[in-house]
Amino acid sequence: MRKTYFDGTHRTRPPSDTWKAIRPLLDRFGITRVADVTGLDDIGIPVTMAVRPLARTLSVAQGKGVTLDAARVSGAMEAIEAWHGERALPPISVRRTPAAEMGLPYPVTALEQHPGSLLTDHTRLDWITGRSAVDDSPVPVPLSAVKIGRETHTDWRMHLPSTSTNGLASGNTHAEALVHALYEVIERDAISDLNDAPQAEERQLLDPWSIDDPHCSALLGRFLSAGAWFELWHLPTRFGVPVMACFLWREDQPTVLVGGSGAHLDPRVALSRAITEAAQSRLTVITGSRDDTHPVVYRSGTHQGPTPATARCTPWEEIARQYTATFTTHKAEAAYLGSVITATVGAAPVMVDLTTGRYAREEFAVVKVCAPHLRYSARHTIPRPRPEAAA
């Protein structure tokens, strides 16, 4: 299926059509409300929150977009993704078996883990079946690397490896969902590497006045109209996919510097995602919708903005011309991204389809991608590149 919608993203149908399709289904996934919270801030970039009271993870999901329909779809689908990650898992195919006996095409210790993890090849795990993102062959993956949320049980077990919503994504089609999941694991890998000195010289501070894309310029115009301080960075990755980061500060939240990031082969899409996510992060603090927000965020402070970076400002054209790969379908794009990741790290990403069997839907698809050897250490925050390292 060809892409048809290109306003800040690449989709197979407009957000308005997706919203019409999923709105009647919200109660099936425990979503009681999708609220427009844009007006709680004066920046004006649409942001929503989707409320799911019986969630086994966070009960409020956030959404953002260029239009209100796009923000509604973003928030609702994030909640729907989490519901599937909690409940719509494939059946266990092998129980309580060490990775050493599974014939894995990747080291189990290369999956996402918390620091200090005790995971080894001999840890007994429950296994489900995923599919290679390169050749669609069946690949075992630990249930605990896919399932999110907490629930009571009678037997003690080690929850290894750890899991998160990294690589959990949705789309109008399975290929679209897979593309967004692959971009997310690439983005998180790059963000996890932000303050590593060996990579610092490759990062580029972006000159916002040189951006000639009307869509991104309009979004940044909202920051300027609101008197906000912002900073944009181009983060080249080992996969040849651009990641953009946006940092945002205003004196009404003097103790917090929020950030947003995005990855896409089209740098304009990556930048749009970073800008809208930064606006969403501000509203997440304003609404107080996350229980894991650190209390320091709400303390009063001095009205002094961040120290500007001293790096050379790189013109947008210098960045944009580095990336020329384009695809008319998500299927071709997913194949390309999967092959690039595999060639770089030596192991193919594994996709677990969460909308199959009795969970299959015509309206959307949800997948979880586990990407061995890709990092996810910068959780909940995006480290600002060290200005002196990039100078």
Side-chain angles (χ1 to χ4, degrees):
M1 185 177 293
R2 294 177 67 88
K3 303 175 184 178
T4 62
Y5 184 83
F6 301 95
D7 194 2
T9 186
H10 289 186
R11 298 286 184 179
T12 55
R13 59 180 174 181
S16 57
D17 290 352
T18 304
W19 177 242
K20 290 177 184 177
I22 67 173
R23 187 174 184 180
L25 307 175
L26 298 181
D27 61 341
R28 300 187 186 187
F29 305 106
I31 301 172
T32 59
R33 184 186 183 201
V34 178
D36 175 12
V37 296
T38 311
L40 297 180
D41 198 359
D42 55 4
I43 288 179
I45 292 175
V47 175
T48 64
M49 51 186 283
V51 182
R52 195 166 57 98
L54 297 180
R56 297 173 185 173
T57 51
L58 292 172
S59 59
V60 176
Q62 307 291 339
K64 77 281 187 186
V66 181
T67 65
L68 182 55
D69 278 339
R72 284 170 173 160
V73 169
S74 174
M77 290 310 303
E78 184 168 312
I80 290 172
E81 290 164 15
W83 185 96
H84 283 79
E86 296 165 357
R87 296 170 169 85
L89 284 300
I92 296 173
S93 56
V94 179
R95 292 185 179 274
R96 307 287 292 169
T97 301
E101 300 178 14
M102 294 298 296
L104 300 180
Y106 60 88
V108 70
T109 52
L111 294 173
E112 184 180 322
Q113 300 179 63
H114 288 296
S117 169
L118 301 177
L119 179 66
T120 73
D121 285 341
H122 303 288
T123 306
R124 293 185 176 274
L125 300 168
D126 292 336
W127 299 85
I128 58 178
T129 301
R131 314 291 298 190
S132 167
V134 173
D135 59 15
D136 201 41
S137 60
V139 180
V141 64
L143 174 67
S144 55
V146 179
K147 186 175 184 179
I148 61 174
R150 294 290 184 265
E151 57 186 357
T152 60
H153 50 79
T154 57
D155 60 322
W156 183 89
R157 69 191 78 168
M158 296 176 67
H159 291 280
L160 299 171
S162 63
T163 189
S164 69
T165 58
N166 185 32
L168 180 64
S170 60
N172 293 295
T173 66
H174 281 90
E176 186 176 299
L178 177 56
V179 163
H180 286 276
L182 292 171
Y183 277 134
E184 183 165 270
V185 296
I186 289 172
E187 173 192 334
R188 301 286 173 77
D189 181 78
I191 297 304
S192 296
D193 194 35
L194 260 181
N195 280 329
D196 286 356
Q199 301 291 331
E201 67 276 5
E202 299 178 8
R203 296 161 193 149
Q204 296 170 299
L205 182 66
L206 175 58
D207 177 9
W209 306 107
S210 67
I211 297 172
D212 57 4
D213 177 64
H215 168 78
C216 292
S217 295
L219 293 174
L220 293 175
R222 299 194 178 193
F223 287 171
L224 293 171
S225 297
W229 177 97
F230 65 90
E231 188 175 82
L232 307 174
W233 286 86
H234 166 231
L235 312 174
T237 68
R238 52 183 173 156
F239 308 106
V241 176
V243 171
M244 301 293 177
C246 173
F247 298 92
L248 178 63
W249 180 89
R250 277 193 68 192
E251 62 180 12
D252 57 351
Q253 292 180 350
T255 61
V256 59
L257 175 70
V258 298
S261 59
H264 201 278
L265 283 169
D266 184 339
R268 297 169 299 179
V269 175
L271 182 59
S272 173
R273 290 179 178 173
I275 295 169
T276 55
E277 187 174 276
Q280 173 187 284
S281 297
R282 253 184 68 84
L283 271 159
T284 300
V285 175
I286 291 171
T287 59
S289 58
R290 286 186 67 111
D291 295 336
D292 58 353
T293 301
H294 197 283
V296 72
V297 169
Y298 297 103
R299 294 175 185 168
S300 59
T302 58
H303 294 268
Q304 181 177 353
T307 301
T310 57
R312 165 186 173 265
C313 282
T314 305
W316 173 252
E317 174 58 28
E318 185 176 323
I319 294 170
R321 69 180 178 221
Q322 299 177 41
Y323 304 102
T324 58
T326 59
F327 297 91
T328 59
T329 68
H330 286 105
K331 184 177 180 180
E333 192 167 4
Y336 173 81
L337 294 172
S339 63
V340 165
I341 292 174
T342 304
T344 303
V345 303
V350 182
M351 181 198 74
V352 179
D353 185 357
L354 302 180
T355 42
T356 188
R358 65 191 182 98
Y359 298 109
R361 306 283 337 170
E362 294 181 355
E363 299 86 358
F364 60 83
V366 179
V367 304
K368 165 70 175 181
V369 163
C370 297
H373 302 293
L374 272 68
R375 299 154 297 187
Y376 182 34
S377 59
R379 302 188 181 212
H380 309 305
T381 60
I382 302 172
R384 184 185 175 204
R386 294 195 298 264
E388 67 275 9

